[in-house]
Amino acid sequence: FPLGRRAACDIYWHGVSFHDNENIVSGQVNKFPGMVEMLRKINLSRAMRTMQELFPEEYDFYPRSWILPEEYQQFSAQIRMVKEKDTTVSPTFIVKPDGGSQGDGIYLIRDPSDLKLMVGAQPKQAVVQEYIHKPLLIDKLKFDIRLYVLIKSLEPLEIYIAKEGLTRFCTEPYQEPTQKNLSHVFMHLTNYSLNVHSGNFVHSDSQSTGSKRTLSSVLYRLAAKGVDIKRVWSDIIALVIKSVIAVVPELKLHYQADIPPGKPGPTCFQILGFDILLMKNLKPVLLEVNSNPSMRIEHEQEVAPGVSEYVPSPVDEHVKVGVIRDTLRLMDPFNKKPTVNMISHSTQPLL
Ligand code: ADP
């Protein structure tokens, strides 16, 4: 209701941010104030760094990162030191523009001198991060996990994790990075938006084949190979909870600034998209958190050269409809005992 509405709603579903509709004084909004800003690559890296300094072992699931341009000197000095210590190592790094998404502007480097530091006369805001060079492969392909997480409330902190998620596959067999293959995005980046343009992308109606599969089908396959998937899953849950804890203090500040105690206002909840990579040793690594994960249940298909059409995607539908349905059940003020397919982690008794 962009022009306002007289009767109050129980739930307001905003497209982008808390501020899409102003003057809401009751009900629940599906976005937290400040979430978009908090989860931008630079801010997330800062929040993770703070926790890594305090609890290095607990937060070892986030790759070493440097913020550009301000940490360029530290980055160059550290890489020089590593290379001088052992001349046989040549680590790879991934550079991600701040505020970018869908793989836009991402590139790999092996030397600080390859950084593109400026856009015209302006310094480029970006994060440069240790590249995880030994990911777990399935069918020789790199893949990542998209997990949906509901923040039901900040105070007390209540987190729900959807049991079903997506996995997104690369479209070229993986090889460890070499100077020659650094620019092969279909091998190194798992983004759907990039791989869909590869001739090898497989749209499949099945949940366990193709370039986008359900998380459960991948876990099933790993279990069949003898992998302890209970352990993998509990590591993933720990990663999610610790990541949320890292951003909560600042989120609370935003919340109090926008909805001060005593002032009428809505409460908030939000669905986040966690991007997670499994390393070859099965350890999960956090790549990023999306404040506005795509809820599209169709995919783009090229029907003729240069002509694309949206066609239904059963895998997306299966996962995303479940996430939205469970979220609405959990947030429905009249539904006291919702049945959902999400796991709850809360600092108060469960519903
Ligand atoms: P974007 O928001 O543009 O998608 P991501 O941080 O998700 O940016 O990175 C895009 C892709 O690059 C990921 O889906 C993953 O395949 C790959 N990637 C990102 N960070 C790393 C990393 N540190 N090590 C290995 N691969 C990575």
Side-chain angles (χ1 to χ4, degrees):
F1 298 98
L3 302 175
R5 187 187 126 100
R6 254 190 223 144
C9 298
D10 294 315
I11 293 177
Y12 296 85
W13 200 270
H14 287 187
V16 182
S17 93
F18 177 78
H19 294 287
D20 285 6
N21 280 295
E22 301 293 352
N23 306 322
I24 298 174
V25 292
S26 65
Q28 314 179 80
V29 177
N30 73 329
K31 305 282 184 221
F32 280 95
M35 189 70 94
V36 175
E37 293 80 3
M38 253 330 284
L39 296 182
R40 284 170 70 102
K41 293 178 174 36
I42 287 185
N43 287 339
L44 181 68
S45 290
R46 265 193 229 287
M48 288 300 180
R49 166 96 53 86
T50 303
M51 294 308 255
Q52 283 176 328
E53 280 166 5
L54 292 168
F55 311 104
E57 278 159 33
E58 296 294 337
Y59 280 81
D60 65 351
F61 58 83
Y62 190 69
R64 278 205 335 152
S65 304
W66 295 261
I67 293 160
L68 297 177
E70 64 194 59
E71 292 174 351
Y72 173 72
Q73 294 303 342
Q74 287 99 307
F75 172 63
S76 309
Q78 285 190 14
I79 305 319
R80 218 177 309 122
M81 227 168 64
V82 169
K83 286 186 174 174
E84 276 167 13
K85 252 191 184 165
D86 182 350
T87 48
T88 60
V89 297
S90 179
T92 305
F93 300 90
I94 182 163
V95 190
K96 313 178 185 185
D98 190 42
S101 67
Q102 306 191 319
D104 262 357
I106 290 188
Y107 58 98
L108 305 189
I109 58 164
R110 305 193 95 187
D111 195 277
S113 63
D114 294 330
L115 280 170
K116 299 165 199 158
L117 287 167
M118 306 293 277
V119 204
Q122 290 287 331
K124 222 175 188 166
Q125 303 279 335
V127 167
V128 55
Q129 190 170 77
E130 170 196 356
Y131 185 72
I132 306 299
H133 64 288
K134 285 191 190 302
L136 181 71
L137 306 181
I138 288 186
D139 300 334
K140 300 199 173 87
L141 301 170
K142 175 174 171 178
F143 67 96
D144 78 345
I145 299 171
R146 159 56 60 85
L147 205 61
Y148 296 94
V149 172
L150 169 68
I151 311 291
K152 186 169 181 280
S153 110
L154 276 188
E155 191 99 67
L157 182 59
E158 287 183 80
I159 307 168
Y160 285 75
I161 303 174
K163 286 181 189 158
E164 186 60 290
L166 291 169
T167 52
R168 289 122 5 139
F169 281 71
C170 276
T171 43
E172 260 178 35
Y174 184 76
Q175 284 167 11
E176 285 194 22
T178 59
Q179 195 59 41
K180 262 192 169 166
N181 72 24
L182 285 188
S183 61
H184 293 203
V185 291
F186 298 146
M187 173 190 295
H188 290 298
L189 308 186
T190 50
N191 299 81
Y192 162 77
S193 46
L194 298 173
N195 283 280
V196 75
H197 299 295
S198 143
N200 295 337
F201 194 92
V202 182
H203 292 288
S204 167
D205 287 355
S206 145
Q207 295 181 5
S208 55
T209 59
S211 301
K212 213 185 237 185
R213 308 181 193 176
T214 57
L215 174 59
S216 58
S217 80
V218 164
L219 291 178
Y220 187 79
R221 193 139 159 211
L222 295 177
K225 281 193 189 163
V227 168
D228 180 358
I229 55 166
K230 276 205 180 128
R231 171 84 196 272
V232 172
W233 186 235
S234 70
D235 287 349
I236 290 178
I237 290 176
L239 171 155
V240 169
I241 296 173
K242 289 175 194 172
S243 307
V244 175
I245 288 173
V247 296
V248 159
E250 242 176 281
L251 276 180
K252 281 191 180 164
L253 292 179
H254 281 281
Y255 202 98
Q256 283 157 10
D258 274 297
I259 314 168
K263 197 180 143 205
T267 53
C268 303
F269 64 97
Q270 188 152 354
I271 299 171
L272 306 176
F274 276 66
D275 291 347
I276 295 166
L277 189 72
L278 286 181
M279 300 207 295
K280 200 172 172 193
N281 64 6
L282 299 167
K283 198 176 146 39
V285 170
L286 178 68
L287 300 180
E288 73 155 351
V289 189
N290 286 277
S291 54
N292 284 311
S294 161
M295 286 296 166
R296 219 175 229 293
I297 54 171
E298 303 121 351
H299 58 68
E300 208 177 331
Q301 203 159 30
E302 201 167 32
V303 283
V307 187
S308 291
E309 240 178 37
Y310 282 105
V311 297
S313 162
V315 178
D316 284 283
E317 186 168 340
H318 169 75
V319 175
K320 294 175 183 173
V321 168
V323 170
I324 301 271
R325 184 196 55 221
D326 283 1
T327 299
L328 289 174
R329 280 183 180 156
L330 283 164
M331 303 317 302
D332 176 356
F334 302 106
N335 190 353
K336 294 292 174 215
K337 278 200 183 332
T339 342
V340 293
N341 209 14
M342 284 180 155
I343 308 170
S344 130
H345 299 276
S346 142
T347 50
Q348 69 162 17
L350 302 185
L351 287 163

